[in-house]
Amino acid sequence: MTGQTQQAIILIDDDDSIPLERDQDIGDLKKRIEQAAEKSRFVDFRTAEGAEVSVLLTPHSRVRIAVLPFRLEALDTPAANGFDDLPADLL
C-alpha cells in the first residue's frame, strides 16, 4: 500500500540544505522568516529528523525553501498475496 508525502528543504545563507518536517506549514514558516528578518530575530522549526532548530535571521540573511513534488512511499503494511508471501528460496 502507498501514501503520498511531501518534503521541503530550507537553505539559510547557502549552508547545507536542511530537510524540514514533512507536511510543515510552509506559508506560516515564510511569514515567520519575513518577520524575523525585519529586526534580526530567531525562527524555530523542526527538521525531518525531529530536531528543533533555531536560526537567527537578519535583513541580510538569504533563505531559500524548496518544496519537493509529492512522491509515493511504501507504508509499513504488508501487501496481501504479494512477494512477501512467497518462500525465500523462490525470490
Side-chain angles (χ1 to χ4, degrees):
M1 179 168 239
T2 59
Q4 286 189 337
T5 59
Q6 184 177 17
Q7 181 69 51
I9 57 173
I10 187 169
L11 288 90
I12 301 168
D13 293 329
D14 294 325
D15 284 343
D16 293 336
S17 62
I18 302 169
L20 296 173
E21 182 177 47
R22 291 192 185 278
D23 299 325
Q24 188 157 176
D25 185 342
I26 301 301
D28 176 64
L29 180 58
K30 287 179 182 180
K31 286 178 190 174
R32 292 188 294 127
I33 289 170
E34 289 170 350
Q35 292 169 350
E38 289 175 1
K39 297 183 181 180
S40 299
R41 291 186 290 200
F42 279 93
V43 171
D44 301 323
F45 57 89
R46 187 181 304 267
T47 68
E49 292 81 23
E52 296 279 341
V53 177
S54 295
V55 178
L56 179 64
L57 297 175
T58 71
H60 305 289
S61 296
R62 180 177 173 173
V63 178
R64 291 183 285 159
I65 297 174
V67 178
L68 306 176
F70 281 104
R71 66 177 199 205
L72 297 177
E73 290 186 348
L75 299 178
D76 291 334
T77 55
N81 298 324
F83 290 113
D84 291 339
D85 295 338
L86 296 175
D89 59 342
L90 293 178
L91 295 177

